[in-house]
Amino acid sequence: MPYALFCHDAQISKAYPSEADVWQLAQQSGLVVDVSTDDQRHGPRRVLDNDYEIKPCRAAQGEDPARNKAEAEQQSRMELALNS
């Protein structure tokens, strides 16, 4: 089942093959923050900023989550090359 980024129950990203793929996209977009731990956890934990959530979703008609992932990875590599 594909996953996407949501805000207030509205899907705001393309569908991606796994939840981990959406976490990576959110991290690159600056939407992931580290929060302090509670007594039961060691070290900081990652959470999504504001009201963002990662949820399972259906891919839109004609949408290919694997292609979305490949395009996002290619764009990330191009941005790294431009910034170096």
Side-chain angles (χ1 to χ4, degrees), residues 1-72:
M1 165 149 302
Y3 288 81
L5 187 63
F6 288 79
C7 185
H8 300 290
D9 293 325
Q11 184 175 335
I12 60 171
S13 76
K14 295 178 181 179
Y16 292 88
S18 72
E19 186 176 1
D21 296 324
V22 183
W23 271 104
Q24 183 175 10
L25 173 72
Q27 178 75 39
Q28 292 171 349
S29 299
L31 302 177
V32 178
V33 296
D34 290 333
V35 295
S36 59
T37 61
D38 53 30
D39 293 336
Q40 297 176 354
R41 291 185 176 218
H42 300 288
R45 62 185 178 100
R46 297 182 329 160
V47 297
L48 293 169
D49 201 10
N50 298 321
D51 294 319
Y52 296 109
E53 298 178 275
I54 296 172
K55 298 181 187 180
C57 68
R58 292 180 185 248
Q61 186 173 356
E63 182 180 31
D64 180 1
R67 186 177 67 230
N68 291 342
K69 177 182 177 181
E71 289 172 355

Side-chain angles (χ1 to χ4, degrees), residues 77-84:
R77 285 190 301 271
M78 287 176 35
E79 288 173 0
L80 283 173
L82 290 173
N83 291 333
S84 49

